Amino acid sequence: MWKRAGMKAILQPWRILASRPASTKSTANVSSAVNSMILQSLKEHYFEVSKMTPPPKVNPPTPFKLVKGSLQSSGPVLTRSFGNEEISISVMRLRNIIAAFEDDGDDVTSQLFLHVDVSKPGQSHSLLFLCGLYPDAIGIQSISTRAKSEDSGFAMDLDDKMKNAIHGYLEERGINESLFSFLQAWLYVKDHRQLMEWFKSVGTFITEKKEA
């Protein structure tokens, strides 16, 4: 995302320091010049990202509900009840939104990864499924059991026969390719928001005055 030419321009003032003794005044001037270049680049990228067209608003498939505050956290995105079970879904992807500014500019996410947690009241453990989600299919990578108070558990790789059985289990609970459109759009909004906040926080850090 950072262009080589831009980084070269940012680094050039430091070559001046290497060629002659630095005074306090010259060091301050160089520091100010570097900060100005960085801030200008941040500003340009901020406005470039702000002009990106968001995807059409998509609602989660019924009966899934969006977890409140999920855009600001790394936890579950969707939740639903199924009988006496509580099901929550977390999502991540291979490619970051920054890739949209490189080479082909294509920001379509073609593969998502789901963590599906199925729990029951009174049970000390829950089932955790790791799945690959595509626009037209879902693939099951592994299944594990874990204590509800822990972040990880024992994972088991599945053979084809077991995967087919698990497909039916998840399909019955509405966990299939119908989730793709919503989760793809949700990830775009989350990444876009985080990127905008990143530009702001870096700019604020650079411009913040030192305490006396």
Side-chain angles (χ1 to χ4, degrees):
M1 187 171 172
W2 296 101
K3 305 300 183 183
R4 290 185 180 179
M7 291 303 296
K8 183 178 179 181
I10 291 174
L11 294 173
Q12 279 177 344
W14 297 106
R15 296 177 182 175
I16 299 174
L17 293 179
S19 63
R20 68 188 184 203
S23 65
T24 301
K25 184 176 181 180
S26 65
T27 300
N29 289 339
V30 170
S31 178
S32 178
V34 171
N35 287 352
S36 295
M37 292 177 185
I38 294 176
L39 290 172
Q40 180 61 33
S41 182
L42 286 170
K43 182 178 179 180
E44 292 171 356
H45 284 90
Y46 179 90
F47 283 112
E48 185 177 358
V49 172
S50 68
K51 291 185 292 184
M52 293 175 64
T53 303
K57 185 176 180 179
V58 181
N59 293 321
T62 306
F64 286 97
K65 297 180 180 179
L66 181 64
V67 176
K68 186 176 181 180
S70 57
L71 283 173
Q72 290 78 42
S73 73
S74 58
V77 177
L78 296 175
T79 185
R80 66 159 296 184
S81 297
F82 183 81
N84 67 337
E85 298 174 354
E86 288 297 324
I87 301 171
S88 61
I89 297 176
S90 301
V91 63
M92 57 184 173
R93 65 175 169 181
L94 286 175
R95 202 154 59 104
N96 193 280
I97 192 175
I98 296 177
F101 296 105
E102 300 175 353
D103 297 339
D104 58 5
D106 179 14
D107 64 348
V108 176
T109 306
S110 59
Q111 182 177 5
L112 307 179
F113 289 96
L114 303 185
H115 283 178
V116 181
D117 187 280
V118 181
S119 64
K120 294 181 179 182
Q123 296 280 355
S124 61
H125 287 70
S126 63
L127 290 180
L128 178 64
F129 302 88
L130 177 60
C131 307
L133 181 64
Y134 308 87
D136 57 355
I138 185 170
I140 301 168
Q141 306 300 324
S142 67
I143 177 174
S144 63
T145 59
R146 68 174 179 181
K148 293 180 180 179
S149 60
E150 298 176 357
D151 293 331
S152 61
F154 174 76
M156 177 179 176
D157 293 328
L158 308 174
D159 58 25
D160 291 341
K161 184 177 180 180
M162 179 63 77
K163 285 183 178 180
N164 289 336
I166 297 299
H167 265 289
Y169 179 90
L170 294 178
E171 179 70 35
E172 187 179 16
R173 288 155 178 77
I175 301 164
N176 52 44
E177 59 272 17
S178 67
L179 296 169
F180 185 89
S181 295
F182 171 80
L183 292 173
Q184 180 190 47
W186 182 89
L187 276 172
Y188 181 101
V189 173
K190 182 180 179 70
D191 286 349
H192 185 272
R193 180 175 297 186
Q194 289 181 337
L195 191 55
M196 297 286 281
E197 289 299 321
W198 184 86
F199 288 133
K200 289 180 181 179
S201 63
V202 174
T204 299
F205 182 88
I206 292 174
T207 57
E208 187 175 7
K209 302 296 184 182
K210 294 181 180 179
E211 296 183 2

